[in-house]
Amino acid sequence: MNLRRALPLLAVLPALALAQPRDLHRGPRVVLFEHPNFQGGAIVLYPGQSVENLARWDFDDGRRANDRITSILVEGGAEVTVFVDAHFRGEALRLTQDARDLSRGDPGLVRFNDQISSLRVDFRRGPGRPPGDRPGDGDRPPGVDPEKIVRRSFQDVLERAPTDADMRRYRSLIIERGYDEKRIREELRRSDEYRGPYMTARLNRVYREVLGRDVDPRGFEHYRNKIIEHGWNDDDIRRDLRASAEYRNRPRAQPEPPRPAAEAAPGPEKQD
């Protein structure tokens, strides 16, 4: 090849390399980039994966990822829902196609530039899903038993067995949308049952054991937040309650007074 003709091609090769994702998988997947036009540090995620807090993640170049995502590549029938706050809270945006530059263009997208702190990746829903892209039983990793995952998750998170309706719903999430056990447990912890009736019964049980009463509204909100946001277990709650002023000042059972000597049981009669 003539060197003069080759020089322009050589000049653009580095730029092309920067624009490519970090592997050859074409997926369903989502690639998060630090800079516009799919450049800079990257994070690759697949359907069924979620990131609860990007503050704990770095791009593949070692730079922190929280509040630094500017373009998103969406491939192969995936979709991503991004949130401005950790723990899937705050304003949300669902993407089923690429976002080349969140810092420019549609104001609805600009709001998310360098603002994303948590996200979920799923298989694309609805009619826009490419034909043949729906996962089935054969797409699950070997040894995965959806019903066993659902039963184990319900028992560990809600302390009960799933109903038939529960089984149908969560089994479908595993088979149809590629949820793993971690994601099923996250869904259960976000449920109204977990945050309401189950949480009330759980806190009442610990309160009665330590303080001899049911949880009050203030205590309910305080410890529900500790459980959901900070991962506290029952032992953490017991230790915290035992350090409270209410526990230290609680009425204590009085010891039984000694019996008078006259009421003492008679001993054996003295023999002459």
Side-chain angles (χ1 to χ4, degrees):
M1 179 183 291
N2 186 289
L3 181 60
R4 183 177 298 176
R5 293 180 180 178
L7 286 175
L9 177 60
L10 292 173
V12 301
L13 283 177
L16 289 173
L18 283 174
Q20 297 299 314
R22 298 308 194 265
D23 58 57
L24 298 178
H25 182 80
R26 287 295 180 268
R29 68 170 187 171
V30 167
V31 190
L32 315 170
F33 289 91
E34 183 179 6
H35 301 311
N37 300 314
F38 318 124
Q39 298 190 29
I43 294 174
V44 182
L45 297 168
Y46 300 94
Q49 291 187 290
S50 61
V51 177
E52 189 172 10
N53 190 349
L54 271 171
R56 302 169 185 167
W57 286 64
D58 295 327
F59 291 112
D60 59 2
D61 61 3
R63 294 170 64 86
R64 67 180 181 85
N66 190 47
D67 292 340
R68 300 193 70 166
I69 295 170
T70 302
S71 59
I72 302 175
L73 189 68
V74 183
E75 294 187 314
E79 69 174 45
V80 60
T81 304
V82 298
F83 301 81
V84 297
D85 296 329
H87 309 295
F88 318 112
R89 295 182 173 180
E91 194 170 2
L93 172 70
R94 175 173 167 249
L95 292 172
T96 58
Q97 57 186 3
D98 300 344
R100 185 171 290 275
D101 188 351
L102 292 172
S103 67
R104 302 177 60 185
D106 183 349
L109 297 179
V110 171
R111 292 199 303 271
F112 290 85
N113 181 52
D114 290 342
Q115 295 294 321
I116 298 170
S117 291
S118 59
L119 60 108
R120 295 193 190 100
V121 180
D122 290 304
F123 290 99
R124 190 179 304 161
R125 304 187 296 260
R129 190 178 203 152
D133 201 41
R134 177 172 175 168
D137 286 348
D139 298 303
R140 299 197 309 272
V144 171
D145 184 337
E147 294 188 3
K148 184 178 292 185
I149 288 174
V150 173
R151 290 193 188 95
R152 183 166 57 225
S153 299
F154 265 77
Q155 193 60 51
D156 290 349
V157 177
L158 296 177
E159 299 181 1
R160 69 170 178 86
T163 65
D164 291 342
D166 293 331
M167 181 60 73
R168 286 193 298 271
R169 178 188 175 194
Y170 288 97
R171 185 177 183 276
S172 175
L173 290 176
I174 295 170
I175 295 174
E176 303 294 336
R177 299 184 61 186
Y179 280 31
D180 58 12
E181 185 163 351
K182 179 181 177 182
R183 181 71 182 278
I184 293 294
R185 290 169 183 257
E186 288 174 355
E187 291 291 320
L188 291 176
R189 291 188 182 100
R190 285 193 295 269
S191 68
D192 291 339
E193 178 182 352
Y194 182 82
R195 293 166 182 258
Y198 167 78
M199 193 70 69
T200 300
R202 177 177 175 181
L203 290 174
N204 279 341
R205 184 170 63 237
V206 178
Y207 261 71
R208 289 167 188 163
E209 176 186 331
V210 178
L211 298 179
R213 66 173 178 87
D214 286 346
V215 64
D216 55 90
R218 182 178 177 183
F220 178 84
E221 291 299 326
H222 174 73
Y223 287 112
R224 181 173 68 170
N225 178 69
K226 291 294 186 182
I227 292 169
I228 294 173
E229 301 295 335
H230 303 284
W232 277 31
N233 58 31
D234 289 358
D235 286 337
D236 295 321
I237 299 169
R238 289 186 186 97
R239 281 192 293 270
D240 198 60
L241 288 175
R242 290 187 180 114
S244 69
E246 179 180 353
Y247 181 81
R248 293 194 302 270
N249 298 327
R250 74 194 190 284
R252 298 178 182 273
Q254 297 298 321
E256 185 177 347
R259 297 170 62 185
E263 296 182 8
E269 293 183 2
K270 184 177 179 181
Q271 299 293 326
D272 291 334

